[in-house]
Structures are given as C-alpha cells and as structure tokens.
Amino acid sequence: NRISSFFGDELIMGSYISRLLPLFIAFFLIKKKNIYEKYLFFIILFFSGILIFLSAERVAFFFYLLTLILIIIFIKEYRKSILVSFFATLLFSTIMIATNPWMKDRMIDKFLNAITVTQNTEKYIFSPVHDTIYKTAFKMFLDKPIVGHGPKMFRVLNAEPEYYINVNSRHPHPHNFYIQLLAETGLIGFSFLLFFFLYVIYCFIKQFVAIISNQKRPFTDYQICLLIAMLITLWPFSPNGNFFNNWLSILYSLPMGFYLHSIFGRNKIFKINSIS
C-alpha cells in the first residue's frame, strides 16, 4: 500500500522529497521568475505534499508541513502560493483518510498509538519496539559515556548480554540520531550535533525577533530555507534513520554546504536580502 517509486523496496521516497524540498525552495527564491514558473512552483509544492502523503511516511509528512509553516512565518514572498499548497494538501489528506481505511490506520491510528501507547500500565516512547531500542542504546552510552563504542557498532553490540533486553534490541541502529551518537560516539560526538541544533534554533529566534520588532533581518530568505532544511535533519523529537547512512549523509550535508557558501562565498547572488 505504500508508494516507493524507483526506490523499490526502500520506503524512503517521502523522506527524500521532504528533505530536498526546502533546498528547492531556496534555489527558487534567488532566481528571476516568470509567471509560468510561479505556477510551476505552486504545482511542485502541492504534488510534493501528495507524494509524501502517499508514501505513508508520517515523519516525512510532518517535515513537509513544518517546512511550509516555517516559510509562511519567516518569508513573505509567495506566501499565498504556499498557504494554498498547505491547505490543498491537508484537504487531499483528509479525503484520503476519510475514504481509505488503511491510510487512516497508517497515518492517524498508528500515530496516536505511538504517542499514547501503554501496555500493562507501562508507558513507552513511540512504541514498545522504539522504547527497547532506546533503552539498549542508553545502556551502551552508560558503559562508555565519553567516546562511545564507535560508529555503526550498535548493530554489532546490541545482542551482547549486558545490553540486550529482548528481540526488539536487534536493530541495525537506534532510530534516533541523538541516541545513536550517544551510544556510538559518546558525549563528544553528541555535543557536535546538539551544538548545530541549538545554533539553528538560535538563528530562527534571532530572525523572528527582527521580524516582530521591524528591524533588518539578519538572514536572507535563501538562508532561512537552508536553515529549515538543516532543522529537519537535526530534529530530535522523532524516529529517523541511521546517522552514518550514505544517502542521509548526502542530504544533510547539502544545505549546510550552501549555507556556509552564502556566508563565506564570493557569489553575491546568495547574499542579497530578498524583498521580504
């Protein structure tokens, strides 16, 4: 029932689109556009949301909505197109959920169960499976809190008696970047990821304060889109993939490279403040 397109057995189409969408919007904002390209922008936004929803990736769909909400808040240009895309996607999703029992179970019921699940009066994080994985990773962290056990070692050590809890411990990675780095790289590796997350939050706060106080904005619209792309990657409050996975490494390195170029590069097109 889940669409994967040319990714085949890997159900990651929604994640790809949601992570690349802020980068696409960033590039769209810095170029001169004709009327046809403006309509194309709306069409791409709308169909991106539909494809992400049809992929049935709950986290990816949340990232899509979060991207549009942040752009509506921080960027004036094309706000109407983005608002229309946002509500049109929600309408399509509502119709699909109302008419497709499987989609309702996947996108709504399982999500509600994940955040409220209890079993034998015991509460879990997301699900019993996720809860077990996180506890296994935390045991590894307590054993080597400073430097960890090494990248990609969770899959090797999760069956060891001192870390093993039950069959749910046997996963290739802990399904959360922050917990994975605590187990595999300790506080040293974890601190780098936490620093970047706090930096991105600081940038958004700084931009928001400038907007409400009607001062000059410290970041361009282009940079805000890149920061949104980084925020999606650094988001700590949801399950995600393997931090050392190749395709994920590429996707979360791309916006960071363009962001650093916008600060230190010589090409002035990336440094010009937008009309908003």
Side-chain angles (χ1 to χ4, degrees):
N1 290 315
R2 296 178 62 182
I3 294 175
S4 62
S5 185
F6 47 76
F7 295 104
D9 294 334
E10 292 189 85
L11 300 173
I12 57 176
M13 181 186 74
S15 183
Y16 253 92
I17 297 174
S18 65
R19 292 173 188 274
L20 288 174
L21 186 62
L23 193 62
F24 160 76
I25 297 173
F27 291 144
F28 185 82
L29 290 175
I30 62 174
K31 72 180 294 292
K32 293 181 179 180
K33 297 161 280 290
N34 57 43
I35 187 65
Y36 302 106
E37 289 176 317
K38 293 178 181 178
Y39 285 120
L40 180 63
F41 177 68
F42 163 75
I43 292 171
I44 290 176
L45 282 184
F46 175 63
F47 279 102
S48 293
I50 289 180
L51 287 174
I52 293 169
F53 184 82
L54 292 177
S55 75
E57 293 183 56
R58 294 185 295 269
V59 174
F61 190 64
F62 166 74
F63 286 155
Y64 170 78
L65 297 179
L66 180 63
T67 296
L68 296 191
I69 290 171
L70 290 175
I71 289 175
I72 291 169
I73 293 172
F74 289 101
I75 298 174
K76 288 183 179 179
E77 195 173 5
Y78 305 111
R79 184 172 287 173
K80 289 183 179 179
S81 295
I82 295 171
L83 274 170
V84 172
S85 300
F86 179 80
F87 287 111
T89 303
L90 285 182
L91 178 62
F92 172 83
S93 305
T94 302
I95 294 172
M96 284 293 296
I97 289 171
T99 58
N100 189 318
W102 180 88
M103 191 64 76
K104 177 180 179 295
D105 177 69
R106 170 71 187 175
M107 300 298 287
I108 302 297
D109 297 339
K110 288 185 177 179
F111 168 73
L112 294 177
N113 289 336
I115 62 176
T116 61
V117 65
T118 59
Q119 186 171 318
N120 298 325
T121 70
E122 185 176 354
K123 293 184 178 181
Y124 296 97
I125 303 174
F126 296 120
S127 72
V129 176
H130 287 95
D131 193 78
T132 299
I133 297 171
Y134 297 158
K135 288 178 179 177
T136 302
F138 191 66
K139 283 186 176 183
M140 294 182 183
F141 163 69
L142 293 178
D143 193 28
K144 290 187 177 182
I146 306 300
V147 297
H149 295 269
K152 296 187 177 182
M153 288 301 292
F154 180 86
R155 68 181 67 191
V156 177
L157 299 175
N158 56 27
E160 296 297 318
E162 61 268 35
Y163 308 128
Y164 183 83
I165 298 176
N166 56 45
V167 67
N168 293 330
S169 298
R170 300 300 307 273
H171 276 257
H173 57 85
H175 292 273
N176 183 278
F177 287 164
Y178 294 82
I179 295 175
Q180 180 179 4
L181 290 186
L182 281 174
E184 297 184 348
T185 64
L187 289 172
I188 294 177
F190 170 82
S191 62
F192 283 98
L193 190 66
L194 181 62
F195 168 79
F196 285 117
F197 174 71
L198 294 177
Y199 171 77
V200 171
I201 296 298
Y202 165 77
C203 291
F204 280 115
I205 294 174
K206 191 174 180 181
Q207 187 83 346
F208 184 73
V209 170
I211 292 173
I212 62 176
S213 59
N214 201 26
Q215 298 176 354
K216 183 180 178 181
R217 303 185 184 193
F219 302 99
T220 66
D221 290 349
Y222 170 77
Q223 290 173 323
I224 286 295
C225 289
L226 296 177
L227 288 168
I228 292 173
M230 288 189 279
L231 178 66
I232 288 175
T233 295
L234 299 169
W235 189 259
F237 307 113
S238 64
N240 43 40
N242 184 356
F243 184 82
F244 300 104
N245 181 284
N246 186 50
W247 71 269
L248 278 176
S249 299
I250 294 171
L251 290 187
Y252 57 61
S253 298
L254 274 173
M256 185 172 294
F258 286 110
Y259 179 74
L260 292 174
H261 178 266
S262 72
I263 299 173
F264 303 107
R266 296 182 178 181
N267 194 339
K268 293 182 180 180
I269 189 174
F270 297 102
K271 297 184 178 183
I272 297 174
N273 285 310
S274 69
I275 60 173
S276 65

